[in-house]
């Protein structure tokens, strides 16, 4: 299926695109599909079960809250993060749920929302929903999978290879890196120009593409700014203190001093990434890029371009995002961006690859150099596990974003110093990531059953 730039970059809330955004989308979608079958006032009870990774780390990732919000009719892009706690508290206190905000029914969370660690057949992030009538008759049943980056597919769509609808024709239908480079060379277009043309063919009016890219950029920058002012302890029980504001104060204190360190630009990049991921961990508004767990890398590298490259301009930022999206599409199509499926290489690794390509493009790199930057970015994350302590997107996730952002800048720099020729293609690296993910034991794939999650004592 053709993937839109604005499918990869979606505005939502934290802490997880797969475990928070996805379940919220699925819960609302189930009720909307139910209402197309029967009047909503015939529904007297709704039950949900979360399976596999969603169950094992669901509470740490706020999957329970997400399901409640989705059933209540909320959307990730629209819900006010400051209202989430109140909405959920009202449901729990009253034992009542207004389905899609309209049809009120009893809702007993301990019975109607079940965490079941067994896997459903399609994916490790599975969900099952039931809508029941007054006599207990099943009015509708739905199985959905959260497949990374906030993307949700039904069991039927997954069985049909995600091609649930006829694929819209696009002028540059590249499916892998080799085709991307060949089509760009034949058409005499940059990767960003091809993606822009494809986006217009998918239905985004040409005059709106820049405005939508600018909104994504502004949302990323706004998340950094909110993260830079946040203080206190992150929710979830690990008692992780937010560091971004203190790091900002320390960097500002060094401004103008003679003993400023040579690597302060690196400090700023790491700070931007940490600010985003602390905001994500707190349940704030973020942009999936391509996931929430890796949401800090692309905003940090984009801000590096805007703040520290003298020739930076708005068009360069758009080129950055269009190019980064092209690389994300290749991973989404040919491997995965789900930590529950391939480990953190599919989140932080993919985000690093996307950011490296975006930066190389914004700095004027050729298509070959851009592909090289993307390959370097993922190559040095191959095999990275997803092992969040306590199932929370905090340790090691927050610092991993800072490291991934710095790696992305290094990858772009190395690629731009070459002529684009290199031994390992991006396609080969993507295949390797997929194979590595298949070989990786499930305990290292967002289940909190291995790695740091079991070797570090929770405080």
């Amino acid at each position: 299926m053709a993937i839109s730039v604005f499918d990869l970059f979606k505005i939502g809330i934290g802490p997880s695109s797969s475990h928070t955004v996805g379940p919220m989308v699925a819960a609302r979608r189930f009720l909307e599909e139910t209402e197309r079958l029967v009047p909503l006032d015939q529904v007297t009870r709704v039950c949900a079960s979360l399976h596999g990774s969603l169950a094992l780390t669901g509470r740490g990732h706020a999957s329970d809250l997400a399901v409640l919000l989705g059933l209540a009719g909320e959307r990730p892009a629209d819900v006010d993060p400051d209202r989430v706690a109140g909405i959920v508290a009202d449901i729990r206190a009253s034992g009542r749920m207004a389905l899609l905000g309209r049809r009120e029914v009893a809702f007993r969370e301990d019975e109607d929302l079940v965490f079941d660690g067994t896997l459903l057949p399609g994916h490790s992030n599975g969900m099952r929903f039931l809508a029941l009538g007054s006599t207990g008759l099943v009015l509708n049943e739905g199985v959905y999978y959260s497949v990374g980056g906030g993307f949700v597919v039904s069991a039927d769509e997954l069985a049909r290879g995600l091609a649930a609808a006829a694929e819209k024709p696009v002028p540059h239908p590249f499916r892998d890196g080799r085709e991307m480079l060949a089509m760009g060379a034949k058409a005499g277009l940059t990767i960003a120009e091809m993606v822009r043309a494809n986006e217009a063919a998918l239905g985004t009016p040409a005059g709106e593409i820049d405005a939508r890219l600018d909104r994504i950029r502004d949302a990323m920058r706004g998340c950094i700014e909110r993260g830079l002012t946040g203080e206190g302890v992150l929710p979830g029980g690990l008692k992780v203190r937010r560091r971004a504001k203190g790091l900002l104060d320390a960097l500002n204190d060094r401004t103008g001093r003679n003993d400023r360190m040579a690597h302060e630009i690196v400090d700023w990049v790491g700070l931007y990434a940490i600010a985003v991921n602390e905001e994500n961990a707190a349940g704030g508004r973020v942009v999936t890029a391509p996931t929430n767990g890796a949401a800090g890398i692309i905003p940090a590298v984009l801000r590096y371009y805007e703040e520290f490259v003298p020739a930076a301009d708005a068009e360069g930022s758009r080129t950055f995002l269009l190019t980064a999206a092209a690389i994300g599409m290749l991973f989404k199509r040919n491997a995965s961006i789900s930590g529950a499926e391939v480990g953190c290489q599919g989140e932080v690794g993919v985000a690093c690859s996307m950011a490296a390509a975006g930066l190389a493009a914004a700095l004027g790199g050729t298509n070959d150099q851009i592909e090289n930057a993307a390959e370097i970015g993922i190559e040095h994350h191959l095999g990275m596990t997803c092992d969040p302590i306590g199932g929370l997107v905090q340790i090691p996730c927050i610092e991993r974003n800072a490291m991934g952002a710095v790696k992305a800048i290094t990858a772009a720099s190395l690629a731009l110093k070459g002529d684009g020729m290199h031994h390992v293609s991006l396609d080969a690296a993507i295949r390797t990531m997929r194979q590595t993910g298949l070989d990786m034991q499930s305990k290292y794939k967002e289940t909190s059953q291995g790695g740091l999650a079991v070797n570090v004592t929770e405080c």
Side-chain angles (χ1 to χ4, degrees), residues 154-419:
S154 68
D156 181 56
E157 289 168 346
L158 194 68
R160 288 187 280 145
L162 305 185
E167 185 164 327
K168 290 185 178 180
V170 294
H172 310 288
F174 55 84
R175 301 179 66 86
D176 56 31
R178 181 186 61 80
E179 289 184 350
M180 179 180 72
L181 293 178
M183 289 181 185
K186 183 177 180 179
L189 297 173
T190 67
I191 294 169
E193 288 168 340
M194 289 191 291
V195 174
R196 182 183 288 277
N198 287 351
E199 190 64 40
L202 289 174
T204 304
E208 291 185 16
I209 293 175
D210 282 353
R212 294 188 68 179
L213 289 169
D214 292 347
R215 282 197 292 273
I216 293 297
R217 176 264 182 196
D218 291 345
M220 289 179 172
R221 197 171 180 99
C223 187
I224 292 174
E225 294 303 326
R226 290 191 304 274
L228 292 176
T229 61
E231 296 183 278
V233 175
L234 293 171
L238 289 183
K239 300 179 182 177
V240 174
R241 297 196 66 81
R242 296 178 69 141
R243 290 181 289 172
K245 185 177 184 301
L247 293 171
L248 174 65
D249 291 342
L251 279 169
N252 283 333
D253 185 55
R254 300 190 68 86
T255 300
R257 287 168 51 176
N258 294 327
D259 61 344
R260 292 181 67 186
M261 296 182 180
H263 62 257
E264 278 192 14
I265 290 179
V266 175
D267 292 339
W268 282 102
V269 172
L271 167 64
Y272 299 146
I274 286 172
V276 170
N277 284 85
E278 287 182 347
E279 190 67 14
N280 176 63
R285 188 164 304 288
V286 298
V287 177
T288 61
T291 68
N292 283 24
I297 294 172
I298 289 174
V301 178
L302 179 57
R303 183 146 176 179
Y304 161 80
Y305 164 74
E306 294 177 347
E307 297 284 342
F308 295 104
V309 175
D313 57 18
E315 191 55 39
S317 296
R318 295 172 191 136
T319 294
F320 183 116
L321 290 173
L322 289 167
T323 307
I327 302 305
M329 293 171 193
L330 300 184
F331 281 98
K332 176 69 178 170
R333 184 184 293 278
N334 299 307
S336 175
I337 57 172
S338 169
E341 195 169 15
V342 295
C344 199
Q345 59 176 352
E347 298 201 32
V348 164
V350 172
C352 176
S353 181
M354 292 169 66
L359 180 60
L363 294 176
T366 65
N367 287 352
D368 288 322
Q369 289 173 319
I370 292 164
E371 185 262 358
N372 188 12
E375 186 279 324
I376 295 171
I378 186 57
E379 182 178 327
H380 301 289
H381 285 91
L382 292 175
M384 179 177 280
T385 60
C386 184
D387 49 355
I389 297 174
L392 299 165
V393 192
Q394 297 177 16
I395 304 172
C397 317
I398 294 171
E399 288 182 355
R400 276 187 183 168
N401 276 259
M403 301 301 291
V406 173
K407 281 186 179 183
I409 295 170
T410 302
S413 179
L414 287 171
L416 290 172
K417 288 179 172 64
D419 60 5

Side-chain angles (χ1 to χ4, degrees), residues 30 45-49 71 107 111-113 128-132:
F30 170 71
R45 184 183 179 193
V46 173
C47 303
S49 57
L71 293 176
F107 189 83
E111 298 177 11
D112 296 337
L113 178 55
R128 188 187 303 277
F129 295 90
L130 291 173
L132 307 175

